[in-house]
Amino acid sequence: MSRQAVLTGGCQCGKVRYDLYASPEGSFCHCRMCQRATGGPFAALTNVRKSDFAWTAGEPGVFASSSAATRAFCRDCGTPLTFTYNDTDGTNVTVGSLDEPERANLTTHYGVESRLSWLKMCDGLPEERTGEGDGDDMLSGMISHQAGPGAVRG
């Protein structure tokens, strides 16, 4: 018996697709790695258990953005699709890659130490600095694989 997807998504060109089998919850991440990975001022990410996520078409490229996590993307059009810590049972899907992004439930600002001063949005949500709260042990000693000026080094 096949599972019924709660949400679906994929890349711009349509070659890579995925299904979510549970309603995700997520956050806005303002950390420098998410800024660079998305090319924007923040990443909007929704989290589900890995068992509630499946690639349904194509095979994404995967980049180890740090010693703690990987990021999946479409090799053809470059769309960022997921962010996944190596040692957790969850994966984070980019809100912009959802077919119905309005259904994403974002509840927190994360990595606020890197939030751009001119960005004013969803004020009033809880805020966490990188390395505070859940996941502290995963980021301890993390080594960034990002290059260039301003690269994060653990």
Side-chain angles (χ1 to χ4, degrees), residues 29 56 99 102 144-145:
C29 186
T56 58
D99 292 334
E102 186 67 35
S144 171
H145 298 186

Side-chain angles (χ1 to χ4, degrees), residues 26-46 65 69 71 83 85 92-95 106-116 119 121-122 125-132 134 139 142 152:
S27 64
F28 299 98
C29 186
H30 301 271
C31 82
R32 283 299 295 141
M33 285 203 299
C34 282
Q35 289 171 351
R36 284 184 183 262
T38 63
F42 59 88
L45 302 165
T46 61
S65 57
R71 295 174 189 269
F83 168 81
Y85 283 114
N92 294 278
V93 175
T94 56
V95 170
L106 303 184
T107 60
T108 306
H109 287 284
Y110 186 72
V112 296
E113 71 280 357
S114 299
R115 183 183 348 204
L116 300 173
L119 183 65
M121 54 168 263
C122 299
L125 291 178
E127 299 181 356
E128 286 186 35
R129 295 176 63 82
T130 302
E132 295 178 357
D134 293 340
L139 299 178
M142 178 192 77
V152 178

Side-chain angles (χ1 to χ4, degrees), residues 25-87:
E25 291 219 359
S27 64
F28 299 98
C29 186
H30 301 271
C31 82
R32 283 299 295 141
M33 285 203 299
C34 282
Q35 289 171 351
R36 284 184 183 262
T38 63
F42 59 88
L45 302 165
T46 61
N47 187 276
V48 294
R49 289 190 314 236
K50 289 176 184 173
S51 61
D52 289 325
F53 174 88
W55 297 110
T56 58
E59 185 175 323
V62 177
F63 174 65
S65 57
S66 72
S67 59
T70 59
R71 295 174 189 269
F73 60 95
C74 176
R75 295 171 203 249
D76 291 316
C77 67
T79 301
L81 298 167
T82 66
F83 168 81
T84 306
Y85 283 114
N86 300 335
D87 297 327

